[in-house]
Amino acid sequence: MEVQYKFERISDNVYAFIQPNGDWFLSNTGVIIGKNYAIVVDSLTNEKMTKQFISEIRKVTDKPIKYLINTHEHEDHLWTNHLFPNAITICHKNCREKVVEGMKRGSNPYEKLFSTIDFSGYKYTPQEVVIDDEMRIFIDDDEVRIAYVGYAHTISDIYVYVPNKKVVFTGDLLFSPPCTPFALMGYIQGYINTLENLANLNAEVYVPGHGEVSYDRKTLYESRDYLIFVRDEARKLMKNIDDPIRAAYEVNLGKYEEWISKERIIGNLARAYSELKGNPPASKLENIDKILIEMVKYREKKSGIK
């Protein structure tokens, strides 16, 4: 299957590689180009995708790729880091820990669950540099700010902000609507707070982890409002239904019914239930494998998509 994408110039010497429609494992990446080298933000799910991305980079610059920044731990943002062999890889320390776990496991945890996805050439490659809170790289006169947000989409989310260009690469802190946000491995309230904080940056362009580039803050607020909706629905449903999986089928998604990957309501409710029961933020859910399986069943039942 051919890779569907567009390579979008979003500012001077800044480009985004966008994969429509932003569904599972169809993530975005980007590149920042300087006089002497380039910085890449994230790699992709399989080798075909990333080779296409690299091919597009080479159409606009012949400079070496010096740094590769991974925005978080999810595999569709780092599984092809090895295709940038000369780049120094950077991430949050929690992200690298998850990558090492995956390398030791030695298998693809999603292969059976998403049987139609092409995972060819995937590899866990531990990063070389980790940050705790913030790091800055200077490429020519431009500061590239890498900032950890705390627990949000996952426990390892960072964003990449280029103040002079007013550009932010958000990773999966932003699923640009109609892509549905996903908080199963994170912290819903932290996610809400982070989206508001991103909106407060002096930025004009937000490159999401999935979905179309946003040239205003509307998508940030729409994603935030979805998560508030999930939290409020969980609070109501918990009074009568103790199982978030069963509760998900009682939710009237309203306008979110038309969003992509709406089955994430199951994972998002499971996380909201955990938080509302007083469990620590981003604490491990014992039945996470079952939740993922039930999400696939919901997807097939509600949308007819496998």
Side-chain angles (χ1 to χ4, degrees):
M1 184 180 293
E2 291 300 312
V3 177
Q4 301 297 315
Y5 71 92
K6 58 183 175 181
F7 193 60
E8 187 171 341
R9 179 184 177 277
I10 55 175
S11 184
D12 291 343
N13 295 316
V14 184
Y15 296 81
F17 183 91
I18 306 297
Q19 295 193 93
N21 57 1
D23 203 355
W24 294 98
F25 298 98
L26 295 174
S27 53
N28 300 331
T29 56
V31 61
I32 305 160
I33 301 167
K35 293 176 182 176
N36 299 311
Y37 65 87
I39 299 172
V40 163
V41 181
D42 281 335
S43 63
L44 296 159
T45 299
N46 63 45
E47 287 194 343
K48 185 181 289 185
M49 292 175 182
T50 300
K51 286 178 179 178
Q52 194 66 62
F53 173 40
I54 293 170
S55 174
E56 291 298 325
I57 293 173
R58 288 300 166 227
K59 291 177 183 178
V60 294
T61 184
D62 61 356
K63 303 304 179 186
I65 297 166
K66 186 173 182 179
Y67 299 107
L68 166 58
I69 304 166
N70 293 133
T71 57
H72 65 291
E73 68 206 54
H74 283 163
E75 285 87 346
D76 54 335
H77 295 263
L78 52 77
W79 250 345
T80 47
N81 281 5
H82 59 281
L83 295 183
F84 301 90
N86 298 316
I88 298 168
T89 48
I90 303 167
C91 68
H92 187 262
K93 62 181 181 181
N94 292 342
C95 174
R96 189 181 192 279
E97 288 174 6
K98 292 291 184 180
V99 171
V100 170
E101 287 176 14
M103 185 179 66
K104 290 179 178 177
R105 184 175 60 246
S107 63
N108 179 348
Y110 305 109
E111 206 155 24
K112 292 181 180 178
L113 204 58
F114 296 94
S115 59
T116 62
I117 302 292
D118 176 10
F119 295 112
S120 57
Y122 83 89
K123 183 180 180 181
Y124 289 98
T125 308
Q127 293 84 350
E128 295 157 304
V129 176
V130 298
I131 70 166
D132 288 323
D133 299 305
E134 186 173 288
M135 175 180 180
R136 300 183 186 196
I137 298 171
F138 289 86
I139 182 167
D140 303 334
D141 295 326
D142 290 325
E143 172 193 346
V144 177
R145 189 179 306 167
I146 307 166
Y148 177 56
V149 302
Y151 296 172
H153 166 63
T154 66
I155 63 169
S156 61
D157 299 293
I158 60 176
Y159 64 82
V160 180
Y161 175 36
V162 190
N164 286 353
K165 308 289 191 187
K166 296 189 175 182
V167 170
V168 185
F169 291 92
T170 68
D172 285 358
L173 293 168
L174 176 61
F175 287 80
S176 192
C179 296
T180 302
F182 192 40
L184 177 61
M185 288 89 167
Y187 176 38
I188 286 179
Q189 190 57 53
Y191 209 157
I192 292 168
N193 297 343
T194 294
L195 286 164
E196 292 177 346
N197 291 337
L198 287 171
N200 288 329
L201 291 174
N202 182 23
E204 296 176 352
V205 184
Y206 293 85
V207 181
H210 296 257
E212 297 291 335
V213 175
S214 180
Y215 290 91
D216 57 32
R217 293 169 172 77
K218 182 182 177 183
T219 56
L220 296 166
Y221 295 129
E222 288 176 331
S223 295
R224 176 203 62 187
D225 290 348
Y226 168 83
L227 293 165
I228 291 171
F229 165 79
V230 169
R231 183 195 64 194
D232 292 349
E233 285 294 302
R235 187 176 284 119
K236 288 187 291 185
L237 290 162
M238 278 182 68
K239 296 174 183 177
N240 298 307
I241 306 175
D242 190 54
D243 178 15
I245 295 171
R246 190 159 57 89
Y249 286 90
E250 302 300 318
V251 174
N252 178 359
L253 287 172
K255 64 182 179 181
Y256 305 121
E257 181 73 30
E258 303 304 317
W259 283 21
I260 296 163
S261 310
K262 63 185 177 183
E263 64 275 6
R264 289 175 179 163
I265 187 62
I266 290 180
N268 291 334
L269 274 184
R271 176 53 60 190
Y273 265 48
S274 175
E275 292 175 22
L276 291 169
K277 287 178 180 179
N279 293 321
S283 55
K284 187 174 181 179
L285 303 182
E286 292 181 2
N287 61 337
I288 197 163
D289 290 339
K290 180 183 179 183
I291 291 167
L292 290 169
I293 291 169
E294 291 297 329
M295 285 170 55
V296 172
K297 289 180 181 178
Y298 183 103
R299 179 182 177 94
E300 293 173 355
K301 186 177 294 186
K302 294 283 188 174
S303 305
I305 302 172
K306 294 186 178 180

